[in-house]
Amino acid sequence: MSETVYLNGEFVPKSDAKVSVLDRGFIFGDAVYELLPAYNRRLFRLREHLARLRYSLASVRIANPYDDERWSELLQRVVDANPWDDQSVYLQVTRGVAPRDQPFPSPPVEPTVLIMSSPLRQPTEAQRAEGYKVITREDYRWLRCDIKTTSLIANCLLRQEAVDAGCAEVILLRDGKVTEASSANVFIVKDGIIVAPPKDHLILPGITYDLVLELAKAHELPFEMRDITLTELYASDEVWLTSSIREIMPVTVVDGMPVGNGAPGPVYRAMYALYQDYKEKYARG
Ligand code: PMP
């Protein structure tokens, strides 16, 4: 079955979608992206993803090629053109095609726009019941992790270290404080309080991070946004990772040591249920 993507104004089969070798996304990783789930063909938290896209584009000084209405329409058309009810939808905007030179092309060139989709693959029930094993590492990425850029070599290297250690993810620390994981935000729970690192330029402002805090607020679960040290991470009752695709995942082992009693905790189960409830209402419209 042929899969349809959107590339620079056209809907084409994925195998026909081609980009120039001089594209700055290819040459420099000079591009930003978004990744969001569609449940029952409805794009989840679309408005929030488009707001973050605007922020990323403005931060790297690429003119936004479309307004939100046009983005929504193009994304929905890709979802509708593909055969799965639940999808993982990826969009990328690069600075465009120009001779290889670091300064921005002047005058600016047309950005390259890609939207593609794949079947939504989420953690299995067995993985949820067991929880993730993770390692910790020094966060040696750049200082603008608030921008959702495709320049992800550091994330890939760090994630591979986790895989090499038989783990699912890596929790990163900068100056002794937890930032995030290679492709997820981090929460801990201690004495019933949900704690998240503050949203600053060292972490991606996660759409799921915001939704978790929104749900905590709405259901009067206590939470704090503040720094988390490695000692606190090790001593937490629960650790969670959040991302649009993996939703909320419990971490049960950090650096070879069990988190709490080594099983997904009660606050995780409560938050996961709230999240599923919110999601089902959303998918039903
Ligand atoms: N941090 C990083 C580095 C990520 O790659 C992701 C996943 N896009 C997240 C956090 C979680 O963000 P979101 O909840 O918007 O998917």
Side-chain angles (χ1 to χ4, degrees):
M1 193 169 345
S2 126
E3 298 172 22
T4 301
V5 309
Y6 171 88
L7 181 63
N8 299 330
E10 287 182 279
F11 293 87
V12 293
K14 197 183 260 173
S15 51
D16 292 350
K18 299 282 188 322
V19 177
S20 165
V21 292
L22 286 180
D23 195 285
R24 289 179 61 105
F26 179 64
I27 296 286
F28 294 125
D30 186 356
V32 301
Y33 76 108
E34 279 295 325
L35 183 61
L36 67 160
Y39 300 110
N40 197 21
R41 297 190 184 270
R42 284 176 58 89
L43 290 154
F44 191 63
R45 302 283 277 189
L46 174 60
R47 202 160 35 91
E48 289 79 0
H49 282 277
L50 291 178
R52 187 172 63 186
L53 174 64
R54 275 188 262 117
Y55 175 78
S56 296
L57 286 168
S59 302
V60 301
R61 299 162 62 187
I62 295 177
N64 195 338
Y66 310 126
D67 61 20
D68 280 9
E69 201 180 330
R70 181 83 178 131
W71 272 119
S72 306
E73 181 197 326
L74 294 171
L75 288 159
Q76 192 62 51
R77 281 182 67 182
V78 170
V79 169
D80 292 342
N82 282 296
W84 322 284
D85 286 341
D86 293 341
Q87 301 182 26
S88 167
V89 182
Y90 178 91
L91 77 84
Q92 177 173 329
V93 182
T94 86
R95 199 177 306 280
V97 178
R100 189 188 178 285
D101 192 15
Q102 287 186 352
F104 300 164
S106 176
V109 294
E110 283 289 301
T112 299
V113 180
L114 168 70
I115 305 172
M116 61 181 179
S117 169
S118 55
L120 183 61
R121 287 196 213 294
Q122 296 191 295
T124 61
E125 280 313 309
Q127 284 170 320
R128 285 202 176 280
E130 194 182 336
Y132 276 164
K133 291 187 176 61
V134 309
I135 55 171
T136 62
R137 285 292 180 273
E138 177 68 23
D139 190 347
Y140 56 67
R141 302 173 302 161
W142 72 331
L143 296 173
R144 290 304 308 275
C145 294
D146 56 323
I147 304 172
K148 198 159 173 62
T149 165
T150 63
S151 306
L152 289 170
I153 185 68
N155 301 59
C156 295
L157 279 165
L158 289 158
R159 177 66 161 275
Q160 188 57 40
E161 281 198 59
V163 171
D164 292 345
C167 289
E169 254 287 12
V170 51
I171 291 182
L172 305 172
L173 290 106
R174 198 187 287 271
D175 301 327
K177 291 167 202 145
V178 170
T179 53
E180 57 184 343
S182 78
S183 63
N185 289 110
V186 178
F187 289 76
I188 65 164
V189 178
K190 184 68 183 174
D191 300 328
I193 300 172
I194 301 166
V195 186
K199 277 206 284 188
D200 58 16
H201 59 289
L202 298 179
I203 71 169
L204 188 79
I207 306 301
T208 321
Y209 172 110
D210 282 346
L211 180 51
V212 163
L213 293 185
E214 225 175 272
L215 292 170
K217 203 169 179 178
H219 297 273
E220 293 175 358
L221 302 176
F223 68 89
E224 290 173 0
M225 287 160 95
R226 60 166 176 82
D227 290 336
I228 300 166
T229 64
L230 183 60
T231 314
E232 273 185 290
L233 178 71
Y234 285 159
S236 1
D237 300 326
E238 302 184 20
V239 176
W240 312 338
L241 299 185
T242 66
S243 79
S244 295
I245 302 301
R246 287 177 290 184
E247 303 179 342
I248 311 162
M249 273 301 285
V251 172
T252 46
V253 177
V254 177
D255 289 338
M257 294 170 291
V259 175
N261 65 4
V267 188
Y268 160 75
R269 286 199 301 274
M271 181 55 75
Y272 185 71
L274 292 174
Y275 193 95
Q276 294 310 310
D277 189 50
Y278 179 93
K279 195 177 105 180
E280 271 152 37
K281 286 190 182 123
Y282 199 99
R284 272 190 260 117

